[in-house]
Amino acid sequence: MTSQPQPDSAAAAPPPAWQRFASRVAIKESSLRTRMLDIAAGLKDVIALGRGDPDLDTPAHIIEAGQKALGKGATHYTHPLGMPELRRAIADSIKANGGGDYTPDEIVVTAGAQESMFVAMLALVEPGDEVIIPSPGYNSYHQAVELAGGRCVTVPTHERDGFALTAEAVARHLTPRSRMLCLINPSNPTGMVIPPSEIEKLAALAAKHDLIVISDEIYGRLVYDNARVLPVASLPGMKERTITIDGFSKAYAMTGWRVGYFAAPRHFSKAMAEIHHGLAICAPAVSQHAALAALTGPQDCVEAMRREYDSRRKVMMAALDRMGLSYARPDGAFYVYANVSSTGASASDFCLRLLQEGKVMMFPGSLFGDHCDDYVRISLLQPVPKVEEAARRMEAVVKAMKAETLAAGPASGS
Ligand code: PLP
């Protein structure tokens, strides 16, 4: 046997499987978020204004419906698209809210709106397609697009314009590879509501450039100061190119039930339903019964929660005014996106110091695909007295940081 020259195994060996997986999708696991959660776990009396999980309980009649359904055997798979009576109720609710006409087979119930988002990208984005996403914006969109092999094209929005996403700004980011436009309306993290007149312009742009539109309206019922969410699918000619994503987590305080849905014309929903079946088979049966109760039961619970978030929003805005921190007045959702650059620190450093010294947790905008590190997202998911206390603690830290920056002179804080 002649001996063959051995290849230089160190140079030629492919990277190990785990490394290939890690680079397949840019999993922007935020070490800062993990660090903050670790620090918070070691502290007492932290006021958490970080996550987007309502502190309010699911209304009692919805819980009761879930309990009853379990007692009656809702422990099996349902129809993959969701229980027919729930899909009918969703179609009715979309119509009642001005979202247009859908048949139940154009509605697919998913395990949270989150699943709808991933289903949409996996079904509709082809490798190399460009997907337009506002920045800052809900970060899971980036992950979903990248998993599908697409490319995220972020459109920066600015405090000076109320973080409004405009058709003009989107137009500047279009290329021949542009395939999809994502609207998050109202926005997480800024609370911005796209004005109806701008939705019309964005719709016209999407039609002109043959873009599919994803309209995430999960915060659509939590709006303030007479703001109005215009469902893009309701505009003439738009239903055929739009997927509307919505759910029960925010308006009905049902995050843990994991139930949401998308509404899309048959040419989209058929393929998307297959992927949904592959991912989840169906949304949890018990949660579908609870969601049915949410839609068909009294709606005053939604209004009560909306008012509560509005009170908290006003408390926090007044506190930020006192602190001299700017923000764009949020018209929807339950967040305030505040500019902390006047403290002389980056938002990431500010959040760490606020947690360590003030025992208040909020997340820096860099976790939301922001293009700068000047902003913090404040979740208004604590009762008013806690929001007031958090604001007092924040004010003390802001004061100290501003004084230090002043004392250090003009070169500091750059
Ligand atoms: N869409 C947006 C804009 C969100 O902010 C969230 C959650 O924070 C989701 C979707 C996911 O919602 P769900 O709990 O229904 O999966």
Side-chain angles (χ1 to χ4, degrees):
M1 219 164 84
T2 53
S3 78
Q4 299 283 327
Q6 292 301 305
D8 177 354
S9 57
W18 65 266
Q19 251 180 30
R20 295 203 300 276
F21 163 74
S23 59
R24 158 92 172 80
V25 172
I27 302 173
K28 297 184 193 84
E29 216 297 288
S30 161
S31 55
L32 179 61
R33 183 177 5 220
T34 312
R35 196 167 147 210
M36 288 182 67
L37 291 169
D38 286 346
I39 294 171
L43 294 172
K44 277 206 184 98
D45 186 29
V46 170
I47 302 179
L49 304 180
R51 298 179 80 187
D53 184 2
D55 57 312
L56 304 171
D57 289 330
T58 302
H61 68 279
I62 299 175
I63 294 179
E64 208 177 299
Q67 285 167 333
K68 267 196 191 144
L70 279 179
K72 287 187 180 166
T75 56
H76 300 273
Y77 294 140
T78 66
H79 188 287
L81 272 59
M83 297 185 329
E85 59 273 44
L86 174 58
R87 284 184 281 131
R88 161 59 55 208
I90 291 170
D92 290 347
S93 144
I94 292 174
K95 192 176 168 83
N97 288 312
D101 286 310
Y102 287 89
T103 57
D105 64 351
E106 293 174 311
I107 309 287
V108 179
V109 182
T110 55
Q114 193 85 355
E115 192 211 330
S116 290
M117 188 188 307
F118 279 76
V119 164
M121 299 307 169
L122 291 172
L124 305 174
V125 172
E126 289 173 309
D129 281 352
E130 292 181 355
V131 177
I132 295 173
I133 303 177
S135 169
Y138 185 51
N139 43 344
S140 296
Y141 278 93
H142 294 251
Q143 201 186 29
V145 169
E146 287 170 12
L147 251 186
R151 202 171 85 76
C152 299
V153 174
T154 51
V155 178
T157 61
H158 303 280
E159 182 189 341
R160 59 177 182 269
D161 311 317
F163 292 106
L165 180 74
T166 63
E168 201 189 340
V170 171
R172 283 199 298 272
H173 290 77
L174 293 177
T175 75
R177 299 302 312 253
S178 303
R179 168 123 175 114
M180 187 184 271
L181 168 64
C182 295
L183 306 177
I184 306 166
N185 188 28
S187 159
N188 174 6
T190 67
M192 173 271 311
V193 173
I194 305 175
S197 58
E198 203 59 45
I199 287 284
E200 284 170 10
K201 288 185 198 162
L202 287 161
L205 188 73
K208 184 172 168 199
H209 294 274
D210 196 22
L211 302 177
I212 297 171
V213 178
I214 301 280
S215 187
D216 182 332
E217 298 170 12
I218 196 163
Y219 297 100
R221 299 180 65 183
L222 300 176
V223 290
Y224 316 104
D225 299 338
N226 300 318
R228 184 168 77 89
V229 170
L230 174 61
V232 66
S234 70
L235 294 173
M238 286 307 289
K239 178 182 167 184
E240 66 189 49
R241 61 175 66 255
T242 301
I243 291 125
T244 301
I245 294 179
D246 205 335
F248 301 86
S249 289
K250 312 296 177 174
Y252 296 95
M254 289 177 68
T255 44
W257 297 81
R258 308 312 304 130
V259 59
Y261 61 88
F262 65 82
R266 285 282 291 160
H267 51 257
F268 290 145
S269 68
K270 228 171 145 207
M272 291 172 70
E274 287 304 316
I275 292 183
H276 156 67
H277 185 263
L279 283 177
I281 299 184
C282 65
V286 59
S287 306
Q288 295 191 47
H289 283 277
L292 181 61
L295 283 184
T296 55
Q299 299 301 302
D300 48 354
C301 54
V302 179
E303 177 56 13
M305 289 193 241
R306 192 195 67 80
R307 280 173 193 265
E308 173 64 23
Y309 297 137
D310 192 18
S311 306
R312 299 173 184 185
R313 182 183 74 115
K314 286 175 178 150
V315 166
M316 186 47 79
M317 289 193 300
L320 291 169
D321 290 341
R322 279 198 306 278
M323 290 178 229
L325 299 185
S326 65
Y327 54 89
R329 194 180 173 87
D331 293 325
F334 37 54
Y335 309 107
V336 183
Y337 206 57
N339 188 333
V340 295
S341 59
S342 62
T343 61
S346 69
S348 310
D349 288 345
F350 174 82
C351 286
L352 276 174
R353 183 152 171 193
L354 178 63
L355 178 59
Q356 280 159 329
E357 276 180 29
K359 297 190 189 164
V360 176
M361 182 156 69
M362 48 186 67
F363 292 141
S366 51
L367 298 185
F368 304 95
D370 202 348
H371 40 283
C372 54
D373 195 16
D374 286 344
Y375 293 89
V376 296
R377 187 191 77 171
I378 306 169
S379 288
L380 302 168
L381 300 175
Q382 295 284 349
V384 165
K386 285 257 184 191
V387 174
E388 285 169 341
E389 172 60 19
R392 271 193 292 276
R393 295 183 190 182
M394 185 177 174
E395 199 166 349
V397 173
V398 166
K399 227 175 176 172
M401 290 177 79
K402 282 189 174 182
E404 285 164 19
T405 304
L406 207 65
S412 72
S414 57

